[in-house]
Amino acid sequence: MGSNEGADLGARAARRLAETGLYELEPGLTDAEFTRIERDYDFAFADDHRAFLAAGLPVNVPPEDGQTWSRPWPEWRGGDTESVRRQLDWPVEGVLLSVEHNGYWYEGWGRRPADGTAALDKARRHLADVPVLVPVYAHRYLPAGRGSFGHPVLSMWQTDVISYGSDLADYIHQEFDEARGEVEESWNPRATAPFWRDLL
């Protein structure tokens, strides 16, 4: 039953994006393409994220001046693998930047080594075990994991992490729907991914 719910959620998110008319959508990713992507980058899409990309693959438009990401939609089909890899590495690299330059230290890692290089090495070892986050759009991420769905979308900027949608469909509404209105005070998505939820 769960995978159907995840597929429905992803399809609903794809419909919402299509209805905005903001982006061209190519045909969705095929099973063979999902297999290649998951093998090449060593993760599995969550069910809703997979269904979203299977319904239609958003195409990047030329960036506006000053836009942080020139290609905010990950180019899973035929894109530059280095660019996709950088987007996949962004959350972990952001935490490492905060460890190196801002004195950040996660209490679950134990005592911070006094030596900066040793601290970075220790942080890197711990971060190798945290859940993989998969880019949805620019620095907005969903946790990886087949058989999972309904996670809040997280906006990642070093250790500044906020929820940007209670799930993928809500995220599309929050990010792209000009008619969205004000967020209700009761809106309080609960992040699900260990470690990352502690940065909220």
Side-chain angles (χ1 to χ4, degrees):
M1 172 162 169
S3 63
N4 285 347
E5 285 179 70
D8 290 346
L9 180 58
R12 192 164 73 245
R15 274 194 308 277
R16 276 195 167 164
L17 182 65
E19 287 165 3
T20 69
L22 293 172
Y23 294 94
E24 179 187 335
L25 298 173
E26 291 181 349
L29 293 175
T30 64
D31 287 343
E33 286 175 312
F34 280 114
T35 299
R36 177 192 55 77
I37 292 162
E38 292 177 339
R39 182 194 64 231
D40 289 355
Y41 297 107
D42 195 27
F43 74 87
F45 286 100
D47 295 354
D48 49 356
H49 198 174
R50 184 184 182 99
F52 173 74
L53 295 170
L57 190 63
V59 177
N60 285 306
V61 296
E64 296 173 16
D65 282 348
Q67 191 172 312
T68 305
W69 297 75
S70 61
R71 296 189 303 257
W73 293 109
E75 295 181 331
W76 299 117
R77 176 185 289 137
D80 167 21
T81 55
E82 278 306 302
S83 174
V84 173
R85 173 67 56 206
R86 275 193 305 277
Q87 217 166 350
L88 278 162
D89 292 345
W90 173 269
V92 165
E93 290 302 317
V95 173
L96 291 172
L97 267 172
S98 287
V99 168
E100 185 175 12
H101 299 289
N102 304 330
Y104 173 77
W105 194 252
Y106 182 67
E107 64 181 30
W109 295 343
R111 188 182 199 100
R112 180 187 175 114
D115 176 71
T117 303
L120 260 182
D121 288 345
K122 185 173 183 178
R124 192 172 276 113
R125 281 195 308 277
H126 282 287
L127 289 165
D129 296 330
V130 301
V132 172
L133 295 180
V134 181
V136 175
Y137 176 84
H139 56 280
R140 316 286 195 237
Y141 287 78
L142 275 174
R146 185 157 300 122
S148 70
F149 65 92
H151 300 284
V153 173
L154 301 178
S155 177
M156 316 293 301
W157 199 271
Q158 294 186 17
T159 51
D160 181 13
V161 178
I162 60 172
S163 292
Y164 227 81
S166 56
D167 59 32
L168 185 55
D170 182 54
Y171 160 71
I172 295 296
H173 174 67
Q174 301 295 336
E175 182 86 68
F176 301 109
D177 188 350
E178 291 182 355
R180 66 184 171 269
E182 289 297 308
V183 174
E184 295 175 21
E185 266 185 49
S186 62
W187 189 81
N188 187 19
R190 295 274 183 234
T192 50
F195 175 74
W196 301 111
R197 65 183 171 214
D198 299 336
L199 300 184
L200 285 165

